[in-house]
Amino acid sequence: MSDATHPWLIVGLGNPGPDYAANRHNVGFMVADLLATRIGGKFKRAQKAQAQVVEGRIGPPGPASRRVVLVKPMSYMNLSGGPVTALRDFYKVPTDHVVAIHDELDVDYGSLRLKLGGGDNGHNGLKSMTKAMGPDYHRVRFGIGRPPGRMQVADFVLKDFSSTERKELAFLVDRSADAVECLLAEGLERAQSTYNS
């Protein structure tokens, strides 16, 4: 099971369409878009699933380079598991070579957490992925913090980042993309010690 045989499936979670593009819930799409730019690719409609994909390599040329398929499911968040599983099966990717990038309520804004496996913490994208293929995939958890006051969670995640948050957003998306690259090149422990905050 070498990397030469199996690519990594890097899944940015979000909702399709311009109305959702700048929502907190779409930060996974933002990181996936940046990774696509870094590898010089453009998202195209997948043949085998309701998703957009980019194929390429992440990392320096040579043995440290990793084959990747970047994925943005186009099914809406709560149905992400279907397209992700279809692509995992099509590309013959082991579940531990799947990485979900997603917003995380229980992590403060500005903080990242990387982990392998675990629960879904009420996140509909993770819930759908876990139901479809089990929990044993990597997660890059982009902290968005909890909603202020009595705001409902659903309203909070479907709102755009605040003007204060947007001042740091590009930097944080960049850092998240760096964390994904580190995870693939150097493994989970190194990525956690470098980027978990």
Side-chain angles (χ1 to χ4, degrees):
M1 187 169 33
S2 72
D3 278 313
T5 316
H6 299 293
W8 285 77
L9 205 63
I10 311 298
V11 181
L13 289 176
N15 286 308
D19 291 350
Y20 298 101
N23 289 180
R24 292 182 177 93
H25 223 19
N26 269 43
V27 76
F29 275 17
M30 296 174 198
V31 177
D33 285 337
L34 178 58
L35 286 166
T37 302
R38 287 185 180 184
I39 66 173
K42 280 197 172 15
F43 277 99
K44 297 184 176 73
R45 203 167 72 182
Q47 298 293 313
K48 303 292 177 184
Q50 193 179 356
Q52 292 184 352
V53 295
V54 177
E55 295 181 50
R57 300 193 81 88
I58 280 179
S65 170
R66 300 283 181 258
R67 280 177 64 215
V68 295
V69 181
L70 302 174
V71 180
K72 295 195 296 187
M74 293 286 119
S75 56
Y76 289 97
M77 185 70 85
N78 60 345
L79 299 172
S80 301
V84 173
T85 305
L87 291 167
R88 180 200 64 172
D89 295 346
F90 176 71
Y91 288 102
K92 300 179 172 55
V93 176
T95 303
D96 68 356
H97 273 51
V98 176
V99 181
I101 309 164
H102 64 92
D103 56 306
E104 178 59 64
L105 289 160
D106 284 339
V107 175
D108 290 339
Y109 183 72
S111 294
L112 270 184
R113 296 267 199 295
L114 286 83
K115 69 175 189 172
L116 173 62
D120 58 53
N121 201 21
H123 191 289
N124 288 332
L126 297 182
K127 198 176 289 183
S128 179
M129 283 181 62
T130 297
K131 186 176 177 189
M133 63 183 185
D136 300 325
Y137 53 91
H138 287 86
R139 297 104 190 276
V140 175
R141 305 158 72 207
F142 186 110
I144 61 169
R146 283 266 160 199
R150 297 182 177 207
M151 188 187 289
Q152 295 295 311
V153 165
D155 294 334
F156 180 67
V157 300
L158 293 175
K159 280 201 173 357
D160 292 358
F161 286 98
S162 71
S163 54
T164 308
E165 289 170 334
R166 282 199 297 272
K167 289 174 185 161
E168 279 188 286
L169 185 58
F171 166 76
L172 297 172
V173 167
D174 196 63
R175 190 166 182 271
S176 302
D178 291 347
V180 172
E181 293 186 357
C182 181
L183 169 65
L184 270 54
E186 301 184 59
L188 179 61
E189 282 186 24
R190 180 60 185 267
Q192 285 175 324
S193 67
T194 306
Y195 291 99
N196 279 13
S197 52

